[in-house]
Amino acid sequence: MTIIHNLGFPRIGAGRELKFALESYWKGESSRAALETQGAVLRQRHWQQQAGLDLVPVGDFSFYDQVLDMSFTLGHLPERVRGFHGDALDNYFRVARGRSAASTDEHHGCCGGVAAGEMTKWFDTNYHYIVPEFDAGTVFALDASRLLGQLAEARREGVKAKPVIIGPVTYLALGKTRDDSDKLALLPALLDVYAQLLETLAAQGVEWVQVDEPLLVTELDQDWQHAFNFAYHQLKACRVKLLVASYFGPLQENRYLAANLPVAGLHVDATHGQEDILSLLNLLPDHKVLSLGVINGRNIWKTDLNAVLDWLEPVAARLGGQLWLAPSCSLLHVPVDLEGEQKLDADIRSWLAFALQKLDELQVLAEALRGGRTAVREALAANAAALAARRASPRVTNPAVQAAVAAIDAGLGARRSSHGVRSAAQAALLQLPAYPTTTIGSFPQTAEIRQARSAFRAGTLAHADYNAAMRAEIARSVREQEALGLDVLVHGEAERNDMVEYFGEQLEGYAFSQSGWVQSYGSRCVKPPILFGDISRPRAMTVEWIAYAQSLTAKPMKGMLTGPVTILNWSFVRDDQPRALSCRQLALAIRAEVLDLERAGVRVIQIDEAALREGLPLRRSEWKACLDWAVDAFRIAANGVRDETQIHTHMCYAEFNDIIAAIAAMDADVITIETSRSNMELLDAFDDFKYPNEIGPGVYDIHSPNIPSQEQIVGLMRKAAERIPAGRLWVNPDCGLKTRQWAEVLPALGNMVAAARTLRAGLAA
């Protein structure tokens, strides 16, 4: 009998209940008990929604991040928070975001907070995790209270529980050393704590534990291959059965390694690695479970169930009871439920599956394997009809767009002059001081802004009144920036709901859900657009707002756009054509907007490519092809302008050092990049690579409520000036400010402007 299970479930709630509970607690508006109660309610609901599974994940729920949860389970806290004597959850939030609830931190004498943990992308997803921090003296000590508490809850609810933890090798690989020590030297001590954890679970009567090791789908050198063998041979005596779970890609050359780990079961991502399966069938011992991820946990399109059964039935016949089925990865990366969606039309709804619908698909596959396809004839027929309707839909294909893409040539991506020539022309036009200051684009999305947007969408606020409200907010942003003394201003993006959704709503080929929220980090949720067809831009998207903002000031006003690669990577992308082709369609649409902004007199245009890095394949050998088309798309979007028009781009919260040559090839005049949480570590790339253009290393961590001091910012910029000539440095936050409050933003930016003046004075001395 085939076992069906799940690797993880969305934790935020269908109505983003976790987001609102967290933010209320952090503001001091609700109690710790209220937050804990909301967490328990969500866990209970999610377990009930997975009740049809043979095994249900437990421990996948988190108040912020599963990697940070593992750090606390391992007793692995950064030194700066070890002396905290308050509640453990408050210390957890201090690592995550620099501080917990305001009243809590004030009570414990740490109202200034601490440096938040570094945050970066979880493999090639848009989910952010808190990076573990190691040094040669790192010690570990088990604290299983969180996992044991959730396990006890699940058992009271009658849940067939499968605890989920991050594996020891992946955990080490995800972290960073602060003293250049060897992370792998910590493995024996780390395994001692993992062994204690597994024995603790065994003592609770746990049979199976899911151990997530997505590192297995990456290229591993001999040391890391040895680490896997060493780790699981050390843990094989534990009394629980281990299911090692790989996902986000195929195993390829790691098949033999994974198949021969001394564990009871192996999970592989069959949506990406179907070619792995035949080899694994020949490599796996007869007693070992093979779990196949047959439903895509990363995208929202219906699975072709008949096609899956075509290849799955022979596998099931061979494996019998040793076959398990699951989604490819945790369903953390998709929305919770398609039912109740009002915004999507019936056609597009019929093509989609969110988390709960994916579990329904899993049930259909299992029933077909157990009782034959006739047992689920109607479900399979409905699935086939929906897929056929999507393929035949005239909404998917636009011949004019396809012709425009076919006409792209190399000249479309080239600037008219070299950066040196452009830089001189831009300097003459813009007249900026040394260390020019700017922000990344957005200002606080206040309750008033959100209320106006909600009322407008509900039809209770007239279009003219909505526009007037947004213009008032833009005018406020301009006034505040002029009062602060910033050099290049932004309009604040009051009218924008999200940096991708805003553009997708104005492009043909996109659809939008009402409540298709997914977690990006902590309480930050996004509602990715659904890219279902060929993309075109019917009309200008931003010109009216930017032109209005520019009319309010004599200072340069940046036009703010999201780049084609980021729009692509932060969307649910169509799966019926190559990503590179969809990206080129987006590039042409953004290029048209860039040229319209320039015609409107906008002389600084920022095209954000925050997601350039995260779209890369997990295997370095496959990077070049992906970077080639990604850089090409950016250049197509950006490079139709005159020399005097300054093109900026922005990137954040990913590892950019190893793609710095590709970033340089984008040929943006100015790049702003996150460096504050990593203490300028990202600038290490410039020790060996001479970046030719201008750069703004982010000096202000906007994801933390902490306010940086003038001295901190000066110190970071002086550190940057050791690698980049001062004449090519900008001073800016590391990301947009929409999630912050004005009371935090104004003093932080005031300190940033004062720091820039100090730096200029140093040049003149």
Side-chain angles (χ1 to χ4, degrees), residues 475-497:
R476 175 189 181 178
S477 292
V478 173
R479 287 196 308 272
E480 297 287 12
Q481 291 172 87
E482 289 200 311
L484 286 164
L486 287 159
D487 299 306
V488 175
L489 311 189
V490 297
H491 78 295
E493 304 181 14
E495 81 287 0
R496 302 187 188 183
N497 43 12

Side-chain angles (χ1 to χ4, degrees), residues 366-390:
E367 290 174 28
L369 292 180
R370 293 165 182 169
R373 297 198 196 192
T374 55
V376 286
R377 181 189 302 112
E378 291 183 4
L380 292 177
N383 174 261
L387 294 171
R390 179 186 170 200

Side-chain angles (χ1 to χ4, degrees), residues 11 85 100 107 164 179 200 208 228 273 303 317 330 378 450 457 460 465 475 483 579 593 619 645 664 683 736 760:
R11 59 182 71 123
H85 299 297
S100 184
H107 176 71
V164 177
D179 58 358
T200 300
W208 282 94
F228 270 107
T303 304
S330 169
E378 291 183 4
R450 291 191 172 95
R457 293 195 165 190
T460 58
D465 293 332
R579 293 172 68 88
E593 188 73 14
R619 294 174 180 274
T645 300
L683 296 186
R760 290 168 197 155

Side-chain angles (χ1 to χ4, degrees), residues 471-537:
R471 285 189 168 219
E473 292 290 346
I474 290 170
R476 175 189 181 178
S477 292
V478 173
R479 287 196 308 272
E480 297 287 12
Q481 291 172 87
E482 289 200 311
L484 286 164
L486 287 159
D487 299 306
V488 175
L489 311 189
V490 297
H491 78 295
E493 304 181 14
E495 81 287 0
R496 302 187 188 183
N497 43 12
D498 174 81
M499 66 182 288
V500 173
E501 186 176 6
Y502 175 79
F503 291 96
E505 284 179 329
Q506 300 181 77
L507 295 169
E508 298 292 338
Y510 268 105
F512 293 85
S513 64
Q514 178 182 359
S515 54
W517 297 99
V518 295
Q519 185 182 26
S520 179
Y521 62 86
S523 67
R524 170 72 169 145
C525 302
V526 294
K527 188 149 55 73
I530 298 166
L531 199 173
F532 71 87
D534 289 337
I535 301 155
S536 61
R537 186 197 74 138

Side-chain angles (χ1 to χ4, degrees), residues 4 41 101 106 130 153 157 179 218 305 324 346 403 441 580 672 678 692:
I4 57 173
V41 168
E106 288 165 7
I130 302 297
E153 277 183 59
E157 298 294 327
D179 58 358
T218 66
L305 298 178
W324 291 13
T672 51
S678 61

Side-chain angles (χ1 to χ4, degrees), residues 104-119:
T104 301
D105 274 354
E106 288 165 7
H107 176 71
H108 290 287
C110 50
C111 57
V114 297
E118 185 179 345
M119 190 163 62

Side-chain angles (χ1 to χ4, degrees), residues 651 653 673-683 686 695-700 716 720 734:
M651 300 175 186
Y653 294 101
I673 193 166
E674 180 277 321
T675 54
S676 60
R677 282 202 177 194
S678 61
N679 196 31
M680 293 286 166
E681 179 186 293
L682 287 173
L683 296 186
F686 300 106
I695 184 166
V699 293
Y700 159 24
L716 286 172
D734 61 13

Side-chain angles (χ1 to χ4, degrees), residues 65-72 122 129-130 132 166 171 174:
D65 164 47
Q66 70 267 16
V67 180
L68 184 59
D69 288 348
M70 200 68 219
S71 292
F72 272 70
W122 173 247
Y129 72 92
I130 302 297
I166 293 173
Y171 180 78
L174 292 176

